Amino acid sequence: MIAGAAPARPHTRASLAAQFRALGVRPGGTVLVHASLRPLGFLCGGPEAVVLALRDVLGPAGTLVVPTHTPDNSDPAGWTNPPVPADWWPVIRDELPGFDPAVTPSRFMGALAELVRTWPGARRSDHPHVSFAALGPAADRVVADHALADMLGEGSPLARLYELDADVLLLGVEHDSNTSLHLAEYRQPAPPRQRCGAAVLAGDGGRAWVWWDDIRLDDDGFARLGTELAATGAVRLGPVGDGTGRLMRQRVAVDFAVDWLARNRGTEES
């Protein structure tokens, strides 16, 4: 297509569903989707068309999962983009609204994730920093009992997706947006750790600030990791709208990342 020219026709629910089928989205499967819709071009119906198309392909037995993270619900001492003055930190810790799975919007996750979060019947995990939302028969299994201090590890929805042999679908984004790769960080010996904080709802209906120790998450190198994963043939590429979809089995990606990180990163002990 000539640069700047419009596509031959708008991308629709039906045409997107055909592309998802061609890419390999599995009927009856579970798929974790990370999406930036702008690269997909004109979508007749916007994010709603994408959700409907995915659900058409997954069918009634399939489950759609998205990240609904709230990274701004975190210790302001660690904010860098932008930072805030140190004398603001106590105020933010005292006044930031407590995370409410039913109300708190996701941040920086995109329009598709927000639409799934608010879709009738969606279930959402209750982690105040890295929640996930899911639609479908496996939704409760995916989002239940999301551990506070193991936020993307064995007590998280990522591990439940691994158990379910889910797929990961990257729409208009690349592997540096692939949250599942963080699960591999938890499967390293002695990964670096940090103290984390967030505002949560309290049992009395108020709010509280909680602290926990967790892995120091680091997506540095994920783009290169993804390039090397793709070189193994584990990632299927195909057109979605005007953009590119990348589909992979989550287990394969995580297992590859475990080995890759062991070869390319140190630990607190090394």
Side-chain angles (χ1 to χ4, degrees), residues 173-251:
V173 298
E174 301 198 20
H175 295 275
D176 54 358
S177 296
N178 190 348
T179 305
S180 290
L181 301 180
H182 288 298
L183 179 58
E185 294 186 288
Y186 286 80
R187 297 182 175 180
Q188 300 301 303
R193 304 186 69 84
Q194 65 179 354
R195 192 180 191 217
C196 302
V200 299
L201 296 180
D204 61 3
R207 48 86 68 201
W209 190 268
V210 295
W211 296 97
W212 71 96
D213 290 326
D214 216 314
I215 298 300
R216 185 182 301 127
L217 300 173
D218 182 6
D219 60 9
D220 184 51
F222 279 9
R224 183 162 64 93
L225 190 166
T227 297
E228 295 183 22
L229 172 65
T232 70
V235 182
R236 295 189 63 169
L237 272 68
V240 176
D242 293 341
T244 299
R246 293 172 170 83
L247 184 73
M248 68 211 78
R249 301 292 272 267
Q250 195 229 33
R251 284 182 183 175

Side-chain angles (χ1 to χ4, degrees), residues 51-235:
V51 172
L52 291 171
L54 283 166
R55 299 195 79 195
D56 288 343
V57 177
L58 290 167
T63 299
L64 173 62
V65 185
V66 294
T68 52
H69 301 174
T70 48
D72 54 341
N73 186 4
S74 59
D75 182 17
W79 293 358
T80 59
N81 189 28
V84 294
D87 60 351
W88 289 18
W89 301 350
V91 178
I92 292 170
R93 291 173 186 146
D94 288 343
E95 300 296 337
L96 192 69
F99 175 78
D100 183 344
V103 174
T104 306
S106 62
R107 309 288 189 191
F108 317 118
M109 297 293 104
L112 181 76
E114 262 298 275
L115 182 61
V116 173
R117 181 188 74 80
T118 60
W119 200 275
R123 300 291 183 265
R124 189 185 191 186
S125 69
D126 61 359
H127 198 283
H129 192 57
V130 288
S131 64
F132 291 79
L135 273 171
D140 286 332
R141 177 176 174 183
V142 170
V143 304
D145 302 320
H146 192 164
L148 180 66
D150 190 25
M151 58 185 179
L152 293 178
E154 305 308 326
S156 78
L158 293 181
R160 305 293 79 77
L161 292 168
Y162 188 94
E163 293 167 358
L164 289 165
D165 191 21
D167 292 320
V168 173
L169 176 60
L170 306 178
L171 293 178
V173 298
E174 301 198 20
H175 295 275
D176 54 358
S177 296
N178 190 348
T179 305
S180 290
L181 301 180
H182 288 298
L183 179 58
E185 294 186 288
Y186 286 80
R187 297 182 175 180
Q188 300 301 303
R193 304 186 69 84
Q194 65 179 354
R195 192 180 191 217
C196 302
V200 299
L201 296 180
D204 61 3
R207 48 86 68 201
W209 190 268
V210 295
W211 296 97
W212 71 96
D213 290 326
D214 216 314
I215 298 300
R216 185 182 301 127
L217 300 173
D218 182 6
D219 60 9
D220 184 51
F222 279 9
R224 183 162 64 93
L225 190 166
T227 297
E228 295 183 22
L229 172 65
T232 70
V235 182

